[in-house]
Amino acid sequence: NGFAQRRSFAYDMLLPHEILEPLSEERSGPRWRFRHALMRDAAYALMTQDEQVAWHAEAARFCERAGEDAVVIATHCERARDLAGAVRHYTAAAEQAYRHNDLATVIALVERGLRCGPTAEARGVLRGIETPAMFYAHDFTSSWHASTEAVSLLPVGHPKRVQAIAYATFVASQLGKLGEARPYIDELLTAQPRAAEYSAYCAALGYASISYVVQMHRAPAARFLARLAEFDALVGDGNPFLRGHALYWQLRYEVLLGDDPHAADEMGLRCAPCHELAGDRRMLAC
């Protein structure tokens, strides 16, 4: 087959002449790389532009089947002029970088995705991913712009819109713009997430609640916490991430606005093991 022929050619011709060297042996087959970047660039320059586009498209398909890193696939898609595919994979890569708390990489990957000319909704998703990265980088102004753009582009009920609303509310309290975020309260409180989105939704409720807690607005803060408690009761002990958030944000309310220091201490002792069990190191550090 073609795969065996490529392997034979690599072993018989390219490896002995030190053009290629073996990189690894994986389930998808052996891998090689050029021994020198100049040799790689010279080989690439021998192809016509149309050949480059075609081979990048083939490389993207191969890498996707092999489970290659999303950034690698996105780069091949971009060079193959498959911009929709590039946006999709840059989005996946940015999501993964955010889960690893690599904020600088999130912002860089979002920028690469935006340069590919995404659709309005895809742009909203990218800006929604960028919103918390900017927030945790303490760039509240950029987080505000990213979140409000995401809200303007994403349809009601979209999980990234819900997240963007939550962070817009939080950074609004830092920037003196809380009045501009108030119209989103009812939408956030009445959202009906799917079961797979419960955790993200409840984290959003928590961030929205603290926006009002720090402003000493008890009534709206209590509404968010009551909604969070509903989902905690619905899910029960089966979701430590959600339980940890439910306890943590209530804890913050008790510390800043409550009357029972013992209740806050008790909640802290209960929520820390939940964050640890969920692997949520960011919240555990809080």
Side-chain angles (χ1 to χ4, degrees), residues 93-108:
E95 288 271 32
Q96 184 179 49
Y98 179 70
R99 288 194 295 271
H100 294 161
N101 203 36
D102 188 351
L103 305 181
T105 298
V106 173
I107 295 166

Side-chain angles (χ1 to χ4, degrees), residues 101-225:
N101 203 36
D102 188 351
L103 305 181
T105 298
V106 173
I107 295 166
L109 290 172
V110 167
E111 180 59 33
R112 290 177 70 174
L114 293 175
R115 288 202 301 265
C116 292
T119 63
E121 184 168 335
R123 181 181 179 88
V125 169
L126 282 165
R127 294 289 270 165
I129 297 168
E130 186 180 37
T131 292
M134 293 291 194
F135 166 79
Y136 283 115
H138 301 124
D139 186 350
F140 293 148
T141 299
S142 295
S143 184
W144 169 258
H145 291 312
S147 61
T148 52
E149 183 179 359
V151 172
S152 72
L153 294 171
L154 295 172
V156 173
H158 194 290
K160 278 290 181 286
R161 177 183 170 93
V162 170
Q163 175 182 282
I165 287 174
Y167 282 103
T169 304
F170 189 94
V171 298
S173 68
Q174 310 296 316
L175 299 173
K177 298 176 179 286
L178 199 53
E180 295 180 47
R182 284 199 179 98
Y184 300 136
I185 291 179
D186 287 338
E187 181 182 337
L188 187 54
L189 286 168
T190 58
Q192 298 296 327
R194 296 172 295 184
E197 299 161 1
Y198 283 176
S199 294
Y201 176 62
C202 288
L205 290 171
Y207 280 106
S209 74
I210 197 63
S211 307
Y212 292 95
V213 169
V214 297
Q215 297 285 332
M216 305 188 80
H217 297 322
R218 293 173 181 263
R223 290 178 67 193
F224 284 114
L225 292 173

